[in-house]
Amino acid sequence: TPWRPAPLLLLSSVPLPAGSRQPTFSTTCARCSKNRRLRQKRVISERKLTRYFVDHRKVRVVGGQGGGGGHSFYSEPRKIFGGPDGGNGGDGGHVILKADQQMKSLSSVLPFYQGFHGEKGGSKNCYGANGAYVYVKVPVGTLVKEDGKVVADLTQHGEEYVAAYGGAGGKGNRFFLSNENRAPTLFTPGEPGQERVLHLELKTTAHAGLVGFPNAGKSSLLRAISRAKPAVAAYPFTTLNPHVGIVHYQDYEQVAVADIPGLIKGAHQNKGLGMAFLRHIERCRFLLYVVDLSVSQPWVQLQDLKYELEQYKKGLSERPCVVIGNKIDLAQSRINLPLLKEQINDRVIAMSALTGDNLEELLLHLRELYNTYVKTEQSRGQSPVKW
């Protein structure tokens, strides 16, 4: 039996009895819940995290040059005029982009790649060796653009795209042998490889996306349900880079949750860093709207968020979702909670990412959304994204 890591027991893996009603709030003590659920994590500044996550990269790729054709004549004792025997040159190597699920950023992609050159053709009709291929690993969900047009979309692990073809090898003088020309001296050089300038754009691939305005508590929530370490602080600021956290269940299923940086009004018009944030939401299968319950009229936040998503891409706001009312530990939030439920038709889960209160209900519903997504993909004959 192969070794498997010990399961991380989460409360989300405990099924509820049939017909039972989920409690509105956790029945556990808030202090005990925080000590059990939340862990102290090393604080990393957002400026330092910027070096680790890169979602744009301009790459110049050049295929390997083909080897030149050989030029020689066969000659040995008692067979002086053996004829031409120059072999063809080898083809140049390609530059290939390959999607790898272990890669999470474009930071390791270099600005220039070139395939290996083919070898020159030899005597005795020996062909030159082909140049080796150069494989460039990119994250799953990478878009490849050339002159503003999408030429490839690498959405599956192991998917490949030939970014630059290697040049064909040259012909040796043996190739030009004919009845009219019994001793050809003509041979051709190898062709140069294809040269292109590509723009790589990463759209984070995750099952769920945390969508909300700045300081709604998305980063704190992701730290509470996963081992991700987005920067948090006691003062207002917004995350600058998307983070993906993995929620582990007892049956070894893993649900990827992406912390999409805070949006602002007019994000679809590229205000702030709108376009840089919105493109990461396209890959999410279902959405988790994080609303700050402590502000007045929190349902207005939800309306503005759905409007920005719909203006960016039609139908994006209609994906399966749940509304997370954060900061329920504050007195004003408990007053606004019933008002929010009256204004919207979506399911509302009130919780506190700071204390861990009612975290179990979120994890249970997150697994329900994931199971629905898996069944839908399988009914269509497609394989769901696995982490």
Side-chain angles (χ1 to χ4, degrees), residues 206-211 256-260 281 284-289:
H207 298 122
L210 293 173
V211 184
V257 181
D259 173 19
I260 308 300
I281 306 177
C284 299
R285 273 58 182 182
F286 42 90
L287 303 178
L288 308 178
Y289 294 101

Side-chain angles (χ1 to χ4, degrees), residues 46 141 204 209 227 252 300 315 336 347 356 358 368 377:
E46 193 65 27
T204 304
R227 295 180 179 178
Y252 299 101
V300 177
N336 293 334
R347 179 174 177 177
N358 209 28
E368 293 176 3
E377 292 295 310

Side-chain angles (χ1 to χ4, degrees), residues 302-320:
L302 182 62
Q303 296 173 358
D304 293 339
L305 288 172
K306 289 189 174 182
Y307 175 78
E308 294 297 332
L309 297 184
E310 194 66 23
Q311 292 298 315
Y312 175 72
K313 184 177 181 181
K314 189 174 182 180
L316 190 58
S317 63
E318 299 175 358
R319 294 186 180 181

Side-chain angles (χ1 to χ4, degrees), residues 334-348:
R334 295 183 177 271
I335 299 176
N336 293 334
L337 178 59
L339 302 177
L340 175 63
K341 292 183 177 180
E342 293 177 359
Q343 294 290 332
I344 63 176
N345 298 323
D346 299 323
R347 179 174 177 177
V348 179

Side-chain angles (χ1 to χ4, degrees), residues 174-195:
R174 171 72 181 183
F175 178 81
F176 299 98
L177 177 65
S178 64
N179 292 332
E180 291 77 16
N181 187 3
R182 304 303 299 174
T185 58
L186 178 64
F187 64 97
T188 60
E191 296 182 0
Q194 185 183 15
E195 182 175 353

Side-chain angles (χ1 to χ4, degrees), residues 34 50 56 61 92 102 105 112 129 150 189 197 350:
K34 180 179 180 180
T50 305
H56 267 100
V61 289
Q102 299 297 327
S105 171
F112 175 74
V150 178
V197 176

